[in-house]
């Protein structure tokens, strides 16, 4: 029996996952953020995730090392031999796609949720303003939720784990507006693929973020080398 309403939040330290923290908190969940160190190009997002978790005064924040994704490479985010693109390629999955990343994240997050008795896992994926990753689509989330509940003791004993992707149909601007309403600490977040002290303002992630703040009629509180 679940005595406390708990949610695992896949927390990258970025804008979207931090917005999910705010949403889950408003919905009355005790927050259990889970951050993955997967051999990405820089550690900055992990460090920012720690700051976000501290801001929300969570009971426990776990950082999980899955360096295997770095070992196999295949993405500009895990292989420094590949350049981070500064212009999106229409209709193509970009080189920043990390093979099966969200599937792996959600598998581990669901295992953690089952262990602590959490009823939901939150992940900040969007199928609207995103870079074209296949593991950010609604059909993937639906399929993964079904798989999780077929494969876990919780699922087969009547305590299913819900995979919550509240931003899935939202533009970046709508996400930001909701986050501002909730008082989400965007000044603690990072989105830049380069991982510098100041965001580059040129990579796909920076450009989507800046565009979202502009459309939301708000100023992005983090520093940039180039705001465009």
């Amino acid at each position: 029996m679940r005595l406390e309403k708990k949610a695992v939040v896949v927390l990258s330290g970025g804008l979207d996952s931090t917005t999910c923290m705010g949403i889950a908190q408003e919905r009355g969940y005790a927050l259990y953020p889970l951050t993955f160190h997967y051999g990405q190009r820089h550690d900055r997002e992990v460090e920012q995730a720690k700051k976000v978790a501290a801001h929300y005064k969570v009971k426990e924040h776990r950082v999980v090392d899955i360096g295997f994704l770095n070992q196999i490479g295949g993405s500009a985010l895990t292989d420094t031999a590949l350049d981070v693109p500064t212009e999106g390629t229409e209709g193509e999955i970009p080189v920043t796609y990390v093979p099966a990343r969200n599937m792996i994240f959600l598998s581990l997050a669901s295992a953690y949720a089952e262990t602590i008795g959490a009823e939901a896992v939150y992940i900040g994926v969007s199928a609207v303003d995103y870079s074209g990753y296949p593991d950010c689509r609604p059909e993937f989330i639906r399929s993964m939720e079904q798989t999780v509940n077929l494969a876990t003791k919780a699922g087969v004993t009547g305590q299913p784990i819900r995979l919550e992707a509240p931003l899935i149909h939202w533009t970046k601007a709508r996400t930001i507006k909701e986050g501002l309403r909730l008082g989400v600490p965007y000044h603690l977040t990072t989105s830049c693929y380069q991982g510098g002290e100041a965001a580059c303002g040129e990579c796909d992630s920076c450009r989507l973020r800046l565009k979202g703040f502009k459309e939301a009629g708000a100023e992005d509180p983090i520093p940039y080398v180039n705001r465009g």
Side-chain angles (χ1 to χ4, degrees), residues 79-90:
D79 186 347
T80 55
L82 299 174
D83 293 331
V84 172
T86 57
E87 292 184 5
T89 305
E90 194 69 30

Side-chain angles (χ1 to χ4, degrees), residues 5 58 69 76 119 138:
K5 187 178 175 182
V58 302
L69 290 180
E119 64 186 62

Side-chain angles (χ1 to χ4, degrees), residues 120-159:
V121 173
Y122 277 73
I123 187 167
V125 296
S126 170
V128 182
D129 282 346
Y130 76 124
S131 298
Y133 301 155
D135 55 358
C136 288
R137 297 176 297 163
E139 51 266 45
F140 163 69
I141 298 297
R142 289 194 301 268
S143 174
M144 190 67 190
E145 182 179 72
Q146 182 180 31
T147 298
V148 164
N149 287 305
L150 285 171
T152 57
K153 178 181 177 181
V156 300
T157 57
Q159 293 184 308

Side-chain angles (χ1 to χ4, degrees), residues 11-14 18 21 33 35 43-58 61 63 184-190 196-197 222-223:
L11 181 66
S12 70
T18 302
M21 286 276 281
T35 298
D43 294 334
R44 185 171 177 79
E45 61 183 11
V46 175
E47 294 309 309
Q48 296 310 114
K50 292 176 182 178
K51 293 176 183 178
V52 170
H55 172 87
Y56 282 99
K57 298 180 173 61
V58 302
H61 175 212
V63 179
V184 168
Y186 287 139
H187 64 288
L188 298 178
T189 65
T190 184
E197 192 71 25
I222 69 170

Side-chain angles (χ1 to χ4, degrees), residues 34-38 62-67 108:
L34 190 62
T35 298
F36 296 100
H37 196 301
Y38 57 92
R62 288 182 177 265
V63 179
V64 180
D65 187 353
I66 47 173
L108 292 172

